[in-house]
């Protein structure tokens, strides 16, 4: 297989997952690109196992019924991000929580937010229409957008508004009257009262439909007239061309290349209108089947095009999970996963806790001086730890190679940590630094090997500190 | 149902003890318990990633509702003597010394009955006599202690001083092999019962490791088990299995035939729990607006089960931070049916 095959596979795995080790990339490349995409979009059909959540909960029981403080809940999701053998399934989970942003800061019940995350995991590659219905009945979402306060005689328009503005069509494609009518249709969609959290810890929340609190009167919504209930509204929404375009733009921004932020979409044309049209067309012709849509997207020429490789700033979740997968840390339940789960938050993306219903702003907005330093230090600390299995694996690969110059070692490290594209002056500076340490020797003696391992670790740290490493 | 009469046995629900608390009067994700003299019970509390507070709670559970008393806590996070990272199992020897296994530190720590550190033993590793994720402890009549290990999928027998005696197991599904075993128990004939967690069964052995029988099989119905976390045997030879996945206790006779199922009956609040509720008027109101309090009564993730010669069956639940207590009655007289 060529280095181009590996580089393309690395691109696929960064976007459709959280990166991959060299061993994994070689195994995927041997299977072939389309076969790998097929495995990614249909892990169940290919018999790919799940994360062993039983074993995680046995050791981290607080993560199974995580409370108000999100630490234990974030630990649970981070463990899955690090260990899932179904990377696209987990990436779609992150995608949908980015779209249907629901914050634990208000819900104050991590287990309920995690139940929503579990819905995204189970159904994120299924029907978008069905997912919208599930989200409409999701207790965390109902509480987050106050639909439990949306009553027959006292409507609350928060859910109805965001359903149209942020979850399906986007601004400019509906009227204020449509918001009011949609909200009326969702009256009576609420949450069953649950036992309080004390004295024996929290209890699950369940959706409850109260027909006596539902406004069953006639509504006029997007030109349609009828005594609509919530599911009727969703059926009308998914028939709108604006919905296909809106979801296409989300998919493009998340999986292909950074776009402007959502509020600008009504004013600014897409970066690649042809790609958006193709995604929208697939959504419509497949009946909003996300598996078919992702299959088309990942196999498309616009996705494989080199101009969009490394064109996305990695999100904090991608930085953290990708690094942990690369160095192979926390592959079994162990103390300290809570701190790793908190790390994306330190970098500006608190898992389970988006800043608002609009979700996180992406692209270059991930980066400020504080978050950049935090990102670099986090990665550098891990890739420089030569005791970690993934780092050892890189060292072992280099140890098996022929004698090498400083430039060859740097190039090999750039290749094995990604590959990433570190070229020009940046590459030259790293080489110069390595040369200052003297000739690269890999003697058989234990002491010489330890020095070699340390120098590899330092080189990996330098690469992780480059501007280029922040792109995926 | 507070009284279960079945196949010549009668079980009465006694009371519950506990509430959610990171220390003091209550428990924190408890995952094992051991009986001391009389009403004394020692409970292992797990840390979590937000509040890393592993410790042992010593309580008197009393004989009836609202008699519980907190006696002391001991142990804290760390790797020094008497400290824990992941305490996983607890058992008392014939002298009343308290043995606590730590799954992460791969050692067994020994305390006196008041929680003063006495000694420790255990070296990390998968070799014979080493410890590789100890998760269960149980003493036989001669003060030998059996230790189950999740990472080596085996059971080892040591003297109380930590000298290796024998061991068996290894990963697998054949009889005599285990997959991530958890709790262990010894009956009055010194037979050994292992909760073979990931194989959804309990396996019974002689004290030297000869396979004798399998109790329970995989499933979610009454009489079936999924992910058993612990096992206990009463003086009549009846076997109690904590079904971690299905939130119940399954009872089997000495031949392995199913007897009955406990699902949790804590219809009243413990004294400590009641204190919490009554101090919060909103909590009192919130309890009135729910359709049913039944979810509160039921077991949620039973992690430890213990039965003494007095017939008291104690179940600790990691997600409800309490002990539920049943009594196996010796001389039960049925009340008049048409009363």
């Amino acid at each position: 297989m060529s280095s181009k095959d590996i580089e393309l596979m690395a691109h696929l795995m960064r976007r459709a997952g959280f990166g991959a080790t060299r061993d994994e990339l070689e195994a995927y490349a041997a299977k072939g690109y389309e076969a790998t995409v097929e495995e990614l979009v249909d892990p169940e059909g290919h018999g790919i196992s799940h994360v062993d959540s039983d074993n995680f909960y046995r050791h981290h029981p607080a993560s199974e019924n995580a409370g108000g403080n999100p630490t234990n809940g974030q630990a649970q999701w981070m463990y899955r991000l690090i260990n899932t053998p179904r990377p696209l399934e987990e990436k779609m989970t992150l995608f949908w929580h980015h779209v249907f942003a629901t914050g634990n800061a208000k819900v104050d019940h991590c287990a309920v937010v995690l139940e929503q995350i579990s819905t995204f995991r189970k159904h994120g590659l299924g029907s978008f229409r069905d997912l919208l219905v599930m989200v409409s009945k999701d207790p965390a979402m109902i509480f987050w957008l106050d639909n439990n306060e949306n009553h027959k005689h006292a409507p609350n328009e928060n859910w109805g508004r965001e359903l149209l503005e942020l979850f399906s069509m986007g601004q400019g494609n509906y009227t204020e009257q449509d918001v009011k009518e949609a909200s009326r249709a969702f009256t009576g969609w609420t949450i069953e009262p649950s036992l309080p959290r004390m004295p024996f810890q929290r209890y699950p929340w369940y959706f409850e439909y109260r027909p006596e609190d539902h406004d069953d009167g006639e509504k006029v919504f997007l030109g349609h007239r009828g005594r609509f209930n919530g599911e009727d509204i969703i059926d009308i929404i998914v028939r709108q061309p604006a919905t296909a375009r809106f979801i296409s733009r989300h998919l493009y921004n998340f999986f292909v290349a950074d776009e402007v932020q959502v509020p600008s979409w009504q004013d600014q044309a897409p970066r690649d209108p042809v790609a958006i049209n193709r995604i929208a067309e697939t959504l419509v012709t497949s009946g909003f089947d996300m598996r078919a849509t992702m299959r088309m997207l990942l196999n498309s020429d616009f996705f494989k095009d080199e101009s969009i490789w490394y064109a996305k700033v990695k999100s904090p979740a991608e930085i953290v999970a990708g690094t942990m997968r690369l160095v192979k840390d926390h592959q079994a339940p162990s103390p300290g996963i809570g701190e790793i789960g908190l790390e994306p938050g330190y970098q500006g993306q608190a898992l389970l806790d988006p800043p608002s219903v609009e979700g996180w702003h992406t692209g270059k907005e991930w980066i400020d001086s504080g978050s950049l330093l935090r990102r670099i230090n986090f990665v550098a600390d891990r890739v420089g730890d030569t005791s970690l299995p993934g780092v050892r694996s890189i060292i072992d690969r280099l140890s098996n190679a022929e004698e090498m110059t400083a430039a060859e070692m740097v190039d090999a490290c750039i290749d094995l940590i990604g590959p990433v594209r570190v070229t020009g002056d940046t590459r030259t500076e790293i080489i110069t630094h390595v040369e200052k340490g003297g000739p690269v020797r890999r003697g058989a003696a234990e002491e010489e090997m330890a020095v070699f391992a340390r120098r590899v670790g330092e080189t990996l740290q330098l690469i992780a500190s480059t501007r280029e490493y922040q792109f995926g | 149902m507070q009284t279960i009469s079945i196949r010549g046995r009668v079980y009465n629900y006694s009371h519950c003890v506990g509430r959610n608390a990171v220390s003091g009067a209550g428990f924190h994700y408890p995952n094992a318990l051991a009986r001391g003299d009389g009403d004394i019970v020692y409970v292992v509390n797990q840390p979590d990633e937000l509040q890393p507070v592993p410790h042992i709670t010593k309580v008197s559970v009393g004989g009836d509702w609202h008699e519980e008393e907190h006696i002391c806590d001991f142990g804290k996070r760390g790797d020094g003597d008497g400290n824990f990272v992941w305490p996983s199992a607890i058992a008392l020897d014939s002298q009343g010394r308290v043995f606590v296994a730590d799954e992460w530190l791969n050692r067994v720590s020994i305390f006196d009955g008041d929680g003063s550190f006495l000694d420790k033993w255990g070296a990390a590793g998968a070799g014979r006599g080493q410890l590789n994720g100890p998760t269960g402890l149980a003493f036989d009549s001669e003060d030998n202690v059996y230790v189950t290990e999740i990472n080596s999928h085996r059971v080892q027998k040591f003297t109380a001083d930590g000298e290796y005696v024998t061991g068996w197991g290894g990963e697998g599904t054949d009889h005599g092999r285990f997959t991530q075993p958890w709790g262990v128990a010894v009956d009055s004939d010194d037979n050994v019962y292992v909760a073979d967690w990931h194989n959804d069964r309990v396996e019974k052995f002689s004290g030297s490791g000869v396979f004798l029988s399998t109790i329970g099989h995989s499933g979610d119905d009454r009489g079936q088990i999924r992910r058993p976390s612990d096992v206990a045997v009463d003086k009549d030879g009846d076997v109690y299995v904590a079904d971690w996945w299905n939130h119940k206790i399954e009872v089997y006779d000495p031949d392995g035939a199913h007897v009955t199922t406990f699902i949790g009956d804590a219809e009243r609040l413990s004294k400590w729990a009641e204190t919490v509720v009554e101090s919060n008027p909103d909590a009192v109101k919130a309890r009135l607006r729910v359709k049913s309090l039944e979810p509160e009564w039921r077991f949620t993730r039973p992690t430890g089960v213990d039965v003494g010669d007095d017939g008291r069956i104690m179940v600790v639940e990691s997600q409800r931070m309490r002990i539920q207590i049943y009594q196996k009655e010796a001389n039960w007289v049925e009340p008049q049916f048409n009363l």
Side-chain angles (χ1 to χ4, degrees):
Chain A
M1 70 198 70
S2 71
S3 62
K4 257 312 185 237
D5 290 338
I6 292 290
E7 214 176 348
L8 177 62
M9 195 57 72
H11 166 67
L12 173 66
M13 297 314 297
R14 282 195 307 274
R15 300 300 176 80
F18 302 90
T21 64
R22 175 48 58 103
D23 289 346
E24 290 165 344
L25 287 177
E26 288 175 354
Y28 284 131
K31 273 183 205 165
Y33 187 91
E34 287 188 14
T36 301
V37 168
E38 205 48 44
E39 205 174 278
L40 288 167
V41 300
D42 186 17
E44 193 70 32
H46 289 78
I48 296 172
S49 61
H50 296 273
V51 169
D52 184 355
S53 53
D54 288 358
N55 195 30
F56 186 74
Y57 294 145
R58 172 173 165 174
H59 293 93
H60 293 282
S63 288
E64 186 175 14
N65 190 15
N69 186 302
T71 304
N72 288 301
Q74 290 167 333
Q76 187 218 104
W77 197 3
M78 180 52 69
Y79 185 76
R80 290 176 186 277
L81 291 168
I82 294 171
N83 289 293
T84 180
R86 301 173 166 212
L88 180 60
E89 186 179 88
E90 211 59 44
K91 201 69 179 274
M92 290 300 292
T93 305
L94 202 59
F95 168 74
W96 286 121
H97 194 233
H98 176 85
V99 176
F100 300 119
T102 310
N104 185 65
K106 175 175 175 180
V107 178
D108 191 30
H109 192 334
C110 247
V112 170
V113 181
L114 281 163
E115 198 53 39
Q116 182 191 85
I117 300 299
S118 174
T119 298
F120 296 151
R121 186 175 296 118
K122 285 180 196 156
H123 304 286
L125 281 161
S127 153
F128 172 70
R129 183 263 174 203
D130 292 350
L131 194 62
L132 261 186
V133 174
M134 288 178 222
V135 169
S136 309
K137 294 180 177 178
D138 179 80
M141 180 61 85
I142 288 171
F143 189 78
W144 170 242
L145 291 181
D146 308 315
N147 211 56
N148 53 322
E149 304 293 333
N150 185 18
H151 302 292
K152 181 177 183 177
H153 298 296
N156 181 306
E157 294 168 5
N158 205 5
W159 160 253
R161 182 177 305 283
E162 304 306 358
L163 172 65
L164 300 177
E165 180 181 330
L166 291 171
F167 299 163
S168 61
M169 296 171 65
Q171 275 187 332
N173 296 295
Y174 54 88
T175 65
E176 271 302 296
Q177 191 59 31
D178 291 323
V179 171
K180 290 183 194 305
E181 299 291 75
S183 302
R184 286 177 60 211
F186 282 97
T187 48
W189 292 46
T190 189
I191 314 165
E192 182 186 324
S194 85
L195 278 158
R197 65 188 68 172
M198 291 301 283
F200 296 126
Q201 260 291 17
R202 293 164 191 258
Y203 294 82
W205 289 0
Y206 299 106
F207 171 73
E208 182 176 72
Y209 177 65
R210 293 186 190 159
E212 73 279 8
D213 197 26
H214 174 67
D215 178 349
D216 196 34
E218 186 177 83
K219 295 136 193 131
V220 178
F221 177 69
L222 293 171
H224 299 262
R225 184 182 296 274
R227 293 169 65 180
F228 300 135
N229 208 320
E231 290 203 33
D232 302 315
I233 295 294
I234 287 170
D235 285 334
I236 294 169
I237 284 172
V238 294
R239 290 203 295 270
Q240 306 303 309
T243 300
R245 278 203 310 275
F246 187 78
I247 297 302
S248 300
R249 211 147 170 193
H250 260 304
L251 288 167
Y252 186 91
N253 180 49
F254 196 86
F255 289 100
V256 185
D258 286 333
E259 277 266 25
V260 294
Q261 307 305 320
V262 176
S264 303
W265 290 0
Q266 60 175 332
D267 306 321
Q268 292 194 37
R271 171 178 174 148
D272 184 348
V274 176
I276 297 295
N277 283 344
R278 273 207 66 193
I279 302 170
E281 197 178 280
T282 309
L283 279 169
V284 171
T285 55
S286 69
F288 278 85
D289 180 72
M290 298 310 301
R291 194 180 321 281
T293 305
M294 289 307 298
R295 181 183 288 121
M296 184 286 296
L297 187 153
L298 297 174
N299 280 316
S300 69
D301 289 341
F302 64 76
F303 178 77
K304 293 181 188 171
D305 193 298
E306 285 193 42
S307 68
I308 58 97
W309 295 8
Y310 312 104
K312 281 185 59 61
V313 179
K314 289 176 188 166
S315 70
E318 288 174 312
I319 284 277
V320 175
T323 301
M324 299 304 281
R325 290 175 79 104
L326 177 73
V327 302
K328 293 184 179 291
D329 199 6
H330 282 281
Q331 295 200 302
S334 47
I337 187 67
E339 193 55 36
I340 307 300
L342 286 167
E343 184 61 35
Y346 299 148
Q347 298 176 18
Q349 188 188 18
L351 291 177
L352 309 176
D353 226 352
S356 76
V357 67
E358 197 182 304
W360 290 276
H361 282 198
T362 56
K364 62 186 179 187
E365 294 199 34
W366 287 126
I367 303 289
D368 60 36
S369 53
S371 70
L372 181 61
L373 200 62
R374 185 87 205 186
R375 289 159 75 106
I376 289 171
N377 286 342
F378 177 82
V379 180
D381 284 350
R382 268 83 199 164
V383 298
D385 183 347
T386 57
S387 70
L388 292 170
V391 182
R392 284 270 20 130
S393 171
I394 292 174
I395 294 165
D396 290 346
R397 275 182 176 263
L398 292 174
S399 302
N400 293 334
E402 296 294 317
E403 285 289 329
M404 58 175 64
T405 63
E408 285 169 338
M409 188 178 90
V410 169
D411 287 342
C413 286
I414 287 170
D415 188 44
L416 292 173
I417 202 173
V420 290
R421 276 190 183 162
V422 180
T423 54
D425 291 347
T426 310
R427 174 176 169 273
T428 306
E429 278 179 36
I430 298 172
I431 293 168
T432 305
H433 181 86
V434 173
E435 283 171 339
K436 281 182 189 163
V440 179
R441 292 209 181 91
R442 291 155 299 143
E446 199 174 317
E447 195 177 323
E448 283 180 308
M449 274 309 298
V451 171
F452 176 69
R454 178 178 53 76
R455 294 187 69 184
V456 171
E458 286 172 359
T459 307
L460 294 173
Q461 287 182 310
L462 287 171
I463 296 165
S465 307
T466 61
R467 178 182 178 279
E468 289 82 348
Y469 190 82
Q470 302 302 324
F471 290 88
Chain B
M1 197 158 55
Q2 300 281 299
T3 299
I4 302 170
S5 300
I6 188 164
R7 291 184 51 195
R9 299 157 177 85
V10 174
Y11 299 98
N12 265 322
Y13 190 77
S14 178
H15 63 289
C16 77
V17 173
R19 68 177 174 190
N20 181 20
V22 294
S23 63
F27 307 118
H28 191 67
Y29 303 104
N31 64 342
L33 80 168
R35 298 277 304 274
D37 288 338
D39 293 336
I40 299 298
V41 174
Y42 297 87
V43 176
V44 178
N45 299 278
Q46 286 177 288
D48 69 76
E49 290 291 308
L50 176 66
Q51 296 163 309
V53 288
H55 64 282
I56 309 301
T57 307
K58 180 180 180 182
V59 296
S60 171
V61 297
D64 206 341
W65 288 99
H66 292 197
E67 292 180 358
E68 64 266 38
E69 296 294 340
H70 173 256
I71 297 172
C72 67
D73 291 349
F74 57 93
K76 62 179 182 180
R77 182 178 168 81
D79 56 8
D81 287 348
N83 294 342
F84 310 114
V85 174
W86 273 2
S88 51
I90 190 165
L92 271 62
D93 69 2
S94 61
Q95 303 167 48
R97 296 186 302 168
V98 181
F99 288 61
V100 182
D102 191 304
E103 184 180 333
W104 189 256
L105 296 174
N106 291 302
R107 70 185 186 191
V108 172
S109 297
I110 307 168
F111 302 85
D112 70 16
D114 297 321
S116 296
F117 175 78
L118 300 174
D119 202 358
K120 66 184 177 193
W121 50 261
R128 205 169 73 167
Q130 295 178 314
L131 295 177
N132 193 15
T135 56
L137 287 178
F139 279 95
D140 69 10
S141 63
E142 297 177 346
D143 266 352
N144 296 303
V145 62
Y146 292 87
V147 184
T148 47
E149 296 166 76
I150 185 171
N151 297 325
S152 286
H153 314 276
R154 66 184 176 184
V155 56
Q156 297 193 90
K157 180 179 182 178
F158 297 88
T159 67
D161 297 329
E163 285 180 32
Y164 177 78
V165 178
T166 188
W168 63 91
E171 186 171 13
T173 56
D174 292 343
H175 294 310
R177 290 190 169 271
F178 312 110
T179 306
Q180 300 176 317
W182 195 337
V184 60
V186 177
D187 69 14
S188 53
D189 295 325
D190 281 346
N191 296 309
V192 181
Y193 300 70
V194 176
D196 190 3
W197 188 64
H198 213 277
N199 286 333
D200 298 343
R201 66 187 181 187
V202 168
E203 296 248 287
K204 178 180 177 182
F205 303 89
S206 73
S208 57
V210 176
F211 171 76
L212 299 176
S213 64
T214 296
I215 297 153
H217 62 276
S218 186
D220 303 322
D221 293 336
R222 288 169 66 91
Q224 300 175 330
I225 50 178
R226 190 178 297 282
R227 306 287 185 267
S229 53
D230 199 15
V231 57
V233 188
D234 70 20
K235 63 184 171 61
D236 304 321
D238 286 346
V239 181
Y240 303 80
V241 181
D243 183 342
W244 181 84
W245 176 263
N246 288 306
H247 315 290
K248 57 188 172 60
I249 300 294
E250 292 294 355
V251 186
Y252 302 90
D253 73 12
D255 297 324
H258 183 240
V259 174
T260 191
T261 304
F262 302 158
I263 56 173
D265 292 273
E267 293 184 29
R268 284 182 65 188
L269 293 171
S270 72
K271 179 173 73 177
W272 301 337
E274 195 170 87
T275 306
V276 170
V277 172
E278 288 183 350
S279 65
N280 185 334
D282 258 13
V284 173
K285 281 162 47 182
R287 293 170 66 80
L288 295 173
R289 74 181 171 192
V290 297
K291 287 178 180 167
S292 167
L293 291 171
E294 187 167 341
E296 185 176 79
W297 312 343
R298 301 308 184 203
F299 293 132
T300 307
R301 294 290 187 233
T303 42
V305 57
D306 191 286
V307 57
D309 287 348
D310 55 4
R312 294 177 97 185
I313 304 144
M314 300 194 187
V315 181
V316 71
E317 308 164 70
S318 74
Q319 294 292 351
R320 290 287 169 250
M321 327 292 184
R322 69 184 167 197
I323 302 167
Q324 295 204 46
I325 303 171
Y326 291 80
Q327 178 69 52
K328 187 179 186 183
E329 302 289 354
N331 299 300
W332 181 253
V333 177
E334 278 290 323
Q336 181 182 323
F337 189 79
N338 61 347
L339 197 62

